[in-house]
Amino acid sequence: MSFDKVVARADFPALERSILKFWSDEGIFEKLRAKNRGRKKWSFLDGPITANNPMGVHHAWGRTYKDAFHRYFAMAGHDCRYQNGFDCQGLWVEIEVEKQLNLSTKADIERIGLDTFTEACKQRVHKYAAVQAEQSKRLGYWMDWDDSYFTMSDDNNYTIWSFLKKCHETGFLYKGTDVMPWSGRAGCAYSHMEIAEGRKLVAHTALFVRFAIRDRENEFLLVWTTTPWTLTSNVGAAVNGDLTYVKLRAKRDNALYYFAKDNLNHKRLDKEFKQGFGSQPWPKNVPKLKTLHQIFNEHGGYEIEGEVRGSELVGWTYDGPFDELPAQQQQGGFAAPMDLIPADQRGWASGRDGHRVIDPGKDSRGESYVVAGEGTGIVHSAPGCGDVDNKWGKKHEMVAIAPLGADGKFIEGFGPLTGKRATDKETVQEIIASLKDKGLLVAAEEYPHIYPHCWRTGDELVFRLVDEWYISMDWRDDIKKMAQRVNWMPASMRGMEREMDWLTTMKDWMISKKRYWGLALPIWECHKCGTFEVMGGRDELRERAVEGWAEFENQTPHRPYVDRVKIKCVCGEHISRIPDVGNPWLDAGIVAYSTTRYNTDREYWNEWVPADLITECFPGQFRNWFYAILAMSTMMELGKEKPRPPFKNLLGHALVLDENRQVMHKSDGTAIWFEEAAEQLGVDTMRWMYCAQPPTVDLPFGLRHPDEEITVQCADGGTITHTVDGDRLCRVTSKPADEVRRRVLMSIWNCYKFFCDYARIDNFDPTAEQVPVADRQDIDRWILSDLQLVVADVRGAFERYELAPVCHAIEEFLDNLSNWYIRRNRRRFWRGQSEGDADKLAAYQTLYQSLVTLTQLAAPVVPFLSDTIYRNLVANHVEGAPESVHLCDYPEPDETLIDRDLSDRMAALLKIISMARAARTNAKLKVRQPLAMIRVQPASDTERAAVELFKDHILEELNVKDVVVDDDLSSMCMVAIEGNMKLLGPAFGKNAGTVARALADVNAKATAEQIARGLSVEVKVGGETHIVEPAAIIVSKSYGDDWAGEEQVNTVVLLDKRITHELKLEGLARDIVRHVQTLRKEANLDLEDRITLSVRTDDDDLNEAARVCRDHIARETLAADIVHSSLEAAATSSVKIDGKTVEIELVRCQDDGLRTM
RNA sequence: GGGCUCAUAGCUCAGUUGGCAGAGCGCGUCGCUGAUAACGACGAGGUCCUAGGUUCAAGUCCUAGUGGGCCCA
């Protein structure tokens, strides 16, 4: 049985699909798991993928990493868990389900019922988990797909309950009232983690407004705001006591204005106007901002009447801009419900009665809150509408007036504004009109800035007074200690420093969200006595339940089911769960405990935690998953003698971008779906791209062409037109993928094809007795030695979790194998079977071993290509061999085969060959032209040995008749010298330059000889004599007309340029051979076909060459006969050699083709 | 506004204790080809962001500035 024939052009996607079928039919993955069961463990912890949409190619980078490491550690004999995770709960699912069910508000959701909504969310998660699993399988991602974890599972949720219980017991869980960024569309507040996701450049109508100072006739504070709706809730005005303020008299109405002196002529956003905001330009249609000088000048002119310190303004009172609103009259402030106002504030003066100037001082870093610059140096302060304002308000006893409801609209108490959306243009216009009526508007402008928006709905965020639940971060130092025990990779990402940054600056963790689909926060709160309790798990809740347990018992711990359970408060009340759901990063952060049976099988947890590795895309995760898993694990371990980190190594990687390094967007059709790339580029190609990419650098993947729909033809006759999710497949192009396929996959394929083509002809038997390595040629022993070195390198790189070096080591070996070993040894495979020599068998065995090992080495990265090759080379021919490459043991280096001297000599040979080729090119002597001689002056014993050992390779490769080693070619040289600044510098200091210039004037040849004898050189500069060490002088050489020279340091290669008549004829013969070979190929002849050849020309030299070198031509072209008359053959070609025309014809002989040497 | 970080060929990036500015890709010319759409040689392409400073010598160290990225306000 011989090897299967290998096609020239592999259809990689088709090949991958057939390997998938093989794996599935034969249960290869299950066999692998069985093989490793009970062996040393390699533990991986999966960061859950959001099960909300199909996978794109940007997900495939991380998943390729995960699979490649699993496959490596499995081949290296480790037992793995293979558990994939799906992230299931959170606003992103709600938003998609709302779209699906055509719901637009929270009221809509409540109308259809929370149970219906929750079930729809679960269904969506299951649907996309299945889609992603299918896509992942196509990627070759070997996971235990029946054992994926879901963050919505009971296990996961109840483990978070136990975590929250622990937070409560340690006193870190609390309810706080704060002003939070809020989305009216989503109806919930955002944590600081989420705000960063949704920042957008927009232009807002900003207003300069004046506040009338009480008890001073026609005098005003000038304030500025980008959020006009907050003026309704103004309570105070903040100044910086250390700033200088001007008193400006406007001529138009004789009014006196106070504002910071620096602001009069400050050019606001001048830099942004010229250069834009980062990568974004200044918005079109937004005019340049005016200075206050301009504004007052355009309004009739002004005079400066004096200056005053900010501290003098403090304590002044003024009339607010909306004092007519009922909300401004309410003692203690205004909010709905009034519960939001803490009891100790209920006696404070109303907004209207409390308007006054304060100095809020400095923040925790010692920076003043109020500075001159963008505004007026007087900050309008509304403690119910801003988080900083709220902080000042509490300190200065200024009440909070909270104007907005959950929908982002004005609540009752705001007169004509009630019911209107705060951020609508019309509402802003109405506020402006009101201010104009009251004579308070000084100027309005369009002001561009980067402002937070809802990261899912795109809704502009407002700030709203709410109560939310928090975990205090007073224990952040414990988390830091945990983070420091983890190995953050790659080191240049400085992951630990970035995590430390976040842990240092992050505020308390807001864990509640006023939504529906998510972790039910296990907090039961008593509205009568104000206490709250945390349930640590399902059992505890059952014991405490006094109502509703029966309704809940068979349900998952989600809304609305769990909301029905009441417990008894210490005060006797029957109390309910708070309606909030949890932050989704709680769901992902607990998985080091929830997925490893922490609460049910502690022994199992002990065995698998800490995980050896986690790996995710870097951007964002420092404040998300990395943070959550470290924080939650730290809490779970709090108080233990030896706190256990959740994982040992963390590997991050950058982003997948399009080929022009732009972010791909789903919305404009440029995001590449996984299937599109897989079926057009091939999964192995993609995997190699991901693995070879430096993890710190964004990967420019390719381009999707949304206008070009395509259909993929499958080998079984079927077609693929849509993704698993039903999207139409479109054309994807990728230059990086094309390069990888060409340079790596095709190169492997062609080595494999070369081997199979000849092995089939010769019926090579891989199980035949091995030719002892000692008896093989040096070049065989060299490639085998190189193979052991690459095995060691690749293993080391995998163990260090560095995939790029894995790929690069394999690529380098492949280059050596393909472009040197095979290239140099082709003739050993060509020659006739009848000779049946051990040397030929040695070549086969050497190449076979190289290919098989290479295939095993690359298997974790390109599992499909590897298995295809392995199965043809090994599984189908070697009895007892594993049926899949993935069931093999990973190769280990055989020390006895490593010969470093040989490697050094081969490197030296390659260097000399390369130098000689350069000399040929420079002398315009093409390789087909034989030359008489090459002289080599070796720079070392290694180079000398290389020339002697590989003499035949030099003769053949360079097409020369003889090679001579010559220790001293200096007699053939013309010599020039120059100083080596690296050594002259330290030796001569300031004079180094002068000495170097003086060297130009000395006798070069004499000096060079002196140096060769190891003697120093004397240089006279302006009457002073300097002694120059020989090493500090660089000698360079050139050669005469008969020789083409090339040199590197002490290595010299000289080619004899003199071409005799015989050499010339030989060169012409080789030209003829080459043209015949081309013609053979064009005529689609088989390698073994013999031909009758006709060569006709008028040129004497060519005729002579054809006659003299007749045997050579016949042997090389498998010509049985050479004639000089026309054959009337189909295969004919008219070519020019040396400018002379030659007619070539050939026909295939009918007799069976015995190959000749 | 603050912190960190980066700036080198058309693109992506190396550049070690300071010592002759590099690689890959792309481009051009030539060569090689009986596995290879492969490969080899050569070439064009540089204000090493700017300005000062230290030094015999700065892409490299120091200072200031400009611009980008990330994080935090």
Side-chain angles (χ1 to χ4, degrees), chain A residues 585-599:
Chain A
W585 292 110
L586 289 168
D587 303 346
I590 200 65
V591 299
Y593 293 80
S594 58
T595 67
T596 49
R597 310 181 192 167
Y598 182 77
N599 285 334

Side-chain angles (χ1 to χ4, degrees), chain A residues 41 43 81 592-593 595-610 640 644:
Chain A
K41 291 179 169 51
S43 175
R81 288 173 64 234
Y593 293 80
T595 67
T596 49
R597 310 181 192 167
Y598 182 77
N599 285 334
T600 55
D601 181 357
R602 193 63 60 91
E603 191 46 43
Y604 184 84
W605 181 80
N606 269 325
E607 285 174 356
W608 292 98
V609 176
K640 286 196 191 164
R644 187 175 290 209

Side-chain angles (χ1 to χ4, degrees), chain A residues 895-954:
Chain A
E895 296 290 335
T896 65
L897 293 179
I898 295 175
D899 185 340
R900 288 181 195 276
D901 283 346
L902 191 58
S903 291
D904 290 346
R905 286 169 193 179
M906 188 59 83
L909 172 69
L910 290 171
K911 172 185 161 189
I912 288 164
I913 297 267
S914 163
M915 287 172 67
R917 281 205 280 244
R920 262 191 179 273
T921 303
N922 290 336
K924 296 205 185 307
L925 294 167
K926 56 187 181 183
V927 176
R928 274 196 301 275
Q929 177 57 60
L931 297 176
M933 171 190 282
I934 178 175
R935 290 175 178 272
V936 178
Q937 176 187 301
S940 62
D941 288 343
T942 302
E943 289 185 5
R944 177 194 311 280
V947 174
E948 285 161 359
L949 200 59
F950 298 118
K951 181 174 179 178
D952 291 344
H953 290 288
I954 292 176

Side-chain angles (χ1 to χ4, degrees), chain A residues 22 36 117 255 317 386 456 505 516 569 727 757 899 1016 1043:
Chain A
F22 160 70
N36 286 331
F117 188 72
T317 60
R456 286 287 159 167
T505 57
Y516 306 106
C569 178
D727 288 295
D757 282 349
D899 185 340
S1016 300
W1043 296 89

Side-chain angles (χ1 to χ4, degrees), chain A residues 313-326:
Chain A
L313 304 180
V314 173
W316 291 8
T317 60
Y318 62 90
D319 293 329
F322 284 91
D323 280 354
E324 72 278 13
L325 298 177

Side-chain angles (χ1 to χ4, degrees), chain A residues 665-734:
Chain A
H665 296 286
K666 199 162 60 163
S667 55
D668 62 10
T670 56
I672 301 175
W673 296 117
F674 173 75
E675 291 89 341
E676 292 172 329
E679 300 308 339
Q680 292 176 73
L681 306 179
V683 158
D684 276 335
T685 304
M686 290 164 61
R687 291 174 63 114
W688 196 277
M689 281 168 78
Y690 294 128
C691 292
Q693 179 74 2
T696 52
V697 181
D698 291 339
L699 174 64
F701 187 89
L703 292 172
R704 182 175 192 263
H705 306 271
D707 302 333
E708 300 178 50
E709 297 184 343
I710 55 114
T711 298
V712 174
Q713 294 291 334
C714 300
D716 60 12
T719 56
I720 303 176
T721 55
H722 289 80
T723 64
V724 183
D725 197 42
D727 288 295
R728 193 69 177 78
L729 289 195
C730 287
R731 197 161 76 89
V732 172
T733 56
S734 168

Side-chain angles (χ1 to χ4, degrees), chain A residues 177-196:
Chain A
T177 306
D178 208 347
V179 173
M180 296 296 299
W182 183 276
S183 165
R185 163 84 173 74
C188 61
Y190 279 142
S191 69
H192 290 92
M193 301 163 176
E194 293 163 297
I195 292 166

Side-chain angles (χ1 to χ4, degrees), chain A residues 23 245 375 411 420 568 740 748 752 855 917 953 965:
Chain A
W23 289 344
Y245 289 75
I411 57 175
K420 290 175 178 156
K568 193 171 174 185
V740 162
I748 294 175
Y752 162 61
T855 297
R917 281 205 280 244
H953 290 288
V965 174

